[in-house]
Amino acid sequence: MQSASKFKVGLVQMAASPDAEDNLARAVSFIEQAARLGAKVICLPELFRSQYFCQREDAALFDLAEPLPGPSTETIGRVAREKNVTVIAPIFERRAAGLYHNSAAIIDTEGNVSGIYRKMHIPDDPSYYEKFYFTPGDLGFRAFDTSVGKIGTLICWDQWYPEGARLTALRGANVIFYPTAIGWHPREKEIHGAEQHEAWRTIQRSHSIANGVYVAAVNRVGHEKPADGAAGIEFWGSSFLSDPFGVVIAEASTNREEVLIGEVDPARIEEVRRNWPFLRDRRIDAYNGIDQRFLDVIEEHE
Amino acid sequence: MQSASKFKVGLVQMAASPDAEDNLARAVSFIEQAARLGAKVICLPELFRSQYFCQREDAALFDLAEPLPGPSTETIGRVAREKNVTVIAPIFERRAAGLYHNSAAIIDTEGNVSGIYRKMHIPDDPSYYEKFYFTPGDLGFRAFDTSVGKIGTLICWDQWYPEGARLTALRGANVIFYPTAIGWHPREKEIHGAEQHEAWRTIQRSHSIANGVYVAAVNRVGHEKPADGAAGIEFWGSSFLSDPFGVVIAEASTNREEVLIGEVDPARIEEVRRNWPFLRDRRIDAYNGIDQRFLDVIEEHE
């Protein structure tokens, strides 16, 4: 069997300004740049159209949401069609009054929204008050057909869950994208910063290894300080592409906007999965219980 | 709530000689050494009583198997009782004629076999012909009560499967041990050795991160060459203990026998899980399909 052709992916590591139109215009410009560099699939960071508004809970901020398809996907659809690229565009989705999602639109080479992923795992931690804004996704874990084969996308907090990566890979994705908005609390950075960044990098590389897929983590950069004088979040960039054995083959800086280009080689997936045939030996007869919160109660009744 | 007390674990990184009695005697000596150094739970490498016989398929080698409980657990039980320690003793288990398992006995501080784990994921690759020898385990993924709280054990190839670690953690294990026999093919070492070792380390550290547990990988050392003149396997040692955020807090050499001591701090588990509450946000309503081999067929019928 001949493997499919190699192709390039573009990871847009960008900062967000307070101006949504400016963010969209710059995203378009980065997509054009990635396309010039040969990328066929281009991914923007989570919620790229705005600063990371979840640092506080404010119902007025639902004004930032938009329908899907909507203005952002329309603008990005034009550049996708013009450049003949697939774009993963993370959108704050307004589905109905009082019903909002942290979503990603798959925009195909015709410029249409050909798929939607809605963030399944929603965090809620100091300065990341996402449970206030985002209804948990109801579309499950998916893979999407593109001109270069199947890809999947998950979003940020999903990256800590092996189940999400596994299900996306079982759907046939060869690359899993993780548009992200993660950073350091300035007061924690010196003591915990290095280990937080390393844990984030490690868990995503592990999804490459467990599933024999490429993983593309696409983070924002910039220190975003809320108006209330709080210390804010220093987004750590460090976008990277890991190969199907977890080797990081492209990696961006911690603090600069950049378009990171990496190559996906289906023959490498074939090679790794032949030599490390983890999918062959899964004990699918014995994973019951994984859909339980904790297995303490079952123990007690045994 | 006050967390439980800290305790030490002992990871016995040893080589195997062709003499099963010698291996057992040295294992006892290493257990005594680990106990002197303060370890309360001590883990031996996979199949520690023999050289790694799975490098070839030979029905005569089933003679190496023994019942469980049996001679090895009896000898180890004596030292466990004497030193007041829990021991994880990997045993080539003869369950019935024609029915053998790659198992681990949990030997309690009274010297009794208080639990058995049977390797669930069985590899089969050149020089690792395990599917010939070992019937896949039928006891599932477990946690065992000990004098220092719940621990789990999985074995070697299991380490590549996030599902096994997850289920063991959901059963309440605070530490997951991975007795192991993994090494380099000498002909591959120069080109692929570093990335193989790094993938092995990464996937196990990721189980710490995803589940907020300590992970103890316990590997053998030594270059074992079969009599047929084959190149054999150079077992890479590198036993390590990672904390609940994936930080490696103790690590052994690649080529020397040693008893590695590391500290488990339940308060660290509490701290990491409070600040990175992954268990809180699992989408247990949406993991259906994870018990399927691949999700291609379902796609086609949608």
Side-chain angles (χ1 to χ4, degrees):
Chain A
M1 189 209 120
Q2 198 74 26
S3 285
S5 302
K6 298 177 189 181
F7 60 93
K8 288 181 181 159
V9 293
L11 288 64
V12 175
Q13 176 168 297
M14 58 184 282
S17 79
D19 178 349
E21 291 312 315
D22 168 64
N23 293 326
L24 182 59
R26 287 184 309 108
V28 166
S29 162
F30 282 124
I31 291 167
E32 289 167 342
Q33 184 185 335
R36 273 199 304 278
L37 294 168
K40 299 307 289 177
V41 183
I42 299 164
C43 183
L44 300 170
E46 183 182 18
L47 302 167
F48 75 96
R49 271 212 77 168
S50 61
Q51 292 198 318
Y52 185 70
F53 54 86
C54 313
Q55 292 197 55
R56 63 189 192 283
E57 297 192 358
D58 179 352
L61 293 172
F62 287 111
D63 283 346
L64 295 169
E66 59 175 298
L68 224 178
S72 293
T73 58
E74 198 173 306
T75 300
I76 290 170
R78 274 196 295 274
V79 64
R81 186 172 61 244
E82 190 183 306
K83 302 298 179 189
N84 194 37
V85 294
T86 300
V87 179
I88 298 171
I91 303 289
F92 181 18
E93 180 190 1
R94 182 188 189 283
R95 191 172 174 188
L99 190 55
Y100 305 84
H101 294 286
N102 186 331
S103 299
I106 314 299
I107 300 174
D108 66 19
T109 55
E110 300 296 312
N112 301 313
V113 174
S114 61
I116 298 174
Y117 171 77
R118 292 183 177 134
K119 188 172 184 174
M120 293 289 286
H121 299 96
I122 309 294
D124 199 282
D125 300 295
S127 299
Y128 295 85
Y129 300 108
E130 295 201 15
K131 289 193 193 295
F132 175 76
Y133 291 104
F134 308 126
T135 303
D138 58 347
L139 297 175
F141 304 97
R142 318 185 75 186
F144 303 95
D145 284 311
T146 74
S147 61
V148 291
K150 288 199 179 189
I151 61 165
T153 189
L154 296 159
I155 300 175
C156 202
W157 194 241
D158 290 321
Q159 61 212 172
W160 302 99
Y161 296 85
E163 293 92 343
R166 177 70 93 203
L167 285 163
T168 305
L170 292 183
R171 292 259 170 210
N174 291 318
V175 189
I176 301 177
F177 291 86
Y178 285 98
T180 295
I182 193 170
W184 293 296
H185 295 297
R187 69 179 182 285
E188 288 185 355
K189 185 180 173 185
E190 192 175 321
I191 297 175
H192 299 295
E195 78 180 33
Q196 290 172 351
H197 176 245
E198 174 63 11
W200 175 80
R201 199 170 178 270
T202 299
I203 193 76
Q204 291 179 95
R205 291 174 55 222
S206 85
H207 303 325
S208 277
I209 298 167
N211 298 293
V213 296
Y214 286 82
V215 164
V218 185
N219 194 18
R220 66 172 65 197
V221 287
H223 188 167
E224 299 182 15
K225 297 182 193 177
D228 63 3
I233 302 175
E234 197 178 328
F235 293 96
W236 67 47
S238 307
S239 301
F240 70 87
L241 181 67
S242 62
D243 86 356
F245 208 41
V247 179
V248 174
I249 55 176
E251 189 161 23
S253 65
T254 59
N255 56 2
R256 288 191 317 276
E257 291 193 313
E258 52 190 297
V259 172
L260 185 71
I261 303 291
E263 190 170 72
V264 171
D265 183 357
R268 172 72 171 151
I269 295 176
E270 189 74 26
E271 175 207 350
V272 169
R273 290 194 188 176
R274 284 185 188 194
N275 285 286
W276 296 88
F278 305 138
L279 295 181
R280 181 191 65 192
D281 297 331
R282 292 179 69 235
R283 288 298 304 271
I284 56 173
D285 60 314
Y287 297 152
N288 51 307
I290 213 158
D291 60 349
Q292 298 295 306
R293 191 59 73 197
F294 206 60
L295 293 168
D296 45 352
V297 177
I298 289 172
E299 286 273 327
E300 282 167 17
H301 289 287
E302 267 178 359
Chain B
M1 188 209 119
Q2 198 75 25
S3 287
S5 301
K6 298 178 189 180
F7 60 93
K8 287 180 182 160
V9 293
L11 289 63
V12 175
Q13 175 168 298
M14 59 183 280
S17 80
D19 178 348
E21 292 312 315
D22 169 64
N23 293 325
L24 182 57
R26 288 185 308 109
V28 166
S29 161
F30 282 124
I31 292 166
E32 289 168 341
Q33 185 186 336
R36 272 198 306 277
L37 294 168
K40 299 307 288 177
V41 182
I42 299 165
C43 182
L44 299 170
E46 183 183 18
L47 301 167
F48 75 96
R49 272 213 74 169
S50 61
Q51 291 198 317
Y52 184 70
F53 55 85
C54 314
Q55 292 197 56
R56 62 188 191 283
E57 298 193 356
D58 180 352
L61 293 171
F62 287 112
D63 283 346
L64 295 169
E66 60 176 296
L68 225 178
S72 293
T73 57
E74 198 172 305
T75 300
I76 291 170
R78 274 195 296 271
V79 65
R81 186 173 60 243
E82 190 183 307
K83 302 297 179 190
N84 194 35
V85 294
T86 299
V87 179
I88 298 171
I91 303 290
F92 182 17
E93 180 190 2
R94 183 188 189 283
R95 190 171 173 191
L99 191 54
Y100 305 84
H101 294 287
N102 187 331
S103 300
I106 314 301
I107 300 173
D108 66 20
T109 54
E110 299 296 312
N112 300 313
V113 174
S114 61
I116 298 175
Y117 171 76
R118 293 184 176 132
K119 189 173 183 174
M120 292 290 285
H121 299 95
I122 309 295
D124 198 283
D125 301 297
S127 299
Y128 296 84
Y129 300 108
E130 295 201 14
K131 289 193 194 295
F132 175 76
Y133 291 104
F134 308 125
T135 302
D138 59 346
L139 297 175
F141 304 97
R142 318 184 75 185
F144 303 95
D145 284 311
T146 74
S147 61
V148 290
K150 287 199 180 189
I151 62 165
T153 188
L154 295 159
I155 300 176
C156 203
W157 194 240
D158 291 320
Q159 61 212 173
W160 302 100
Y161 295 85
E163 293 91 343
R166 176 70 93 204
L167 285 163
T168 304
L170 293 183
R171 292 258 170 211
N174 291 320
V175 190
I176 301 177
F177 291 86
Y178 285 98
T180 295
I182 193 170
W184 293 296
H185 295 296
R187 69 180 182 285
E188 287 185 355
K189 185 179 175 186
E190 192 174 323
I191 296 173
H192 299 295
E195 79 181 33
Q196 290 172 351
H197 176 246
E198 174 63 12
W200 175 81
R201 197 170 179 270
T202 300
I203 193 77
Q204 291 178 93
R205 289 174 56 222
S206 84
H207 304 325
S208 278
I209 297 166
N211 299 293
V213 296
Y214 286 82
V215 165
V218 186
N219 195 17
R220 65 171 67 196
V221 287
H223 188 168
E224 298 182 15
K225 297 182 194 178
D228 63 2
I233 302 174
E234 199 179 326
F235 293 96
W236 68 45
S238 306
S239 302
F240 69 86
L241 180 68
S242 62
D243 86 356
F245 208 40
V247 179
V248 173
I249 55 175
E251 190 162 24
S253 66
T254 59
N255 56 2
R256 288 191 317 276
E257 291 194 312
E258 51 190 298
V259 171
L260 186 70
I261 303 290
E263 190 170 73
V264 170
D265 182 358
R268 173 70 171 152
I269 295 177
E270 188 75 26
E271 174 207 352
V272 169
R273 291 194 188 177
R274 284 185 187 193
N275 286 286
W276 296 89
F278 305 138
L279 295 182
R280 180 191 65 191
D281 296 332
R282 293 179 68 235
R283 287 298 303 272
I284 56 173
D285 60 315
Y287 297 152
N288 51 307
I290 214 159
D291 60 349
Q292 298 294 307
R293 190 61 73 196
F294 206 61
L295 294 168
D296 44 353
V297 177
I298 289 171
E299 286 273 327
E300 282 166 17
H301 290 287
E302 265 179 3

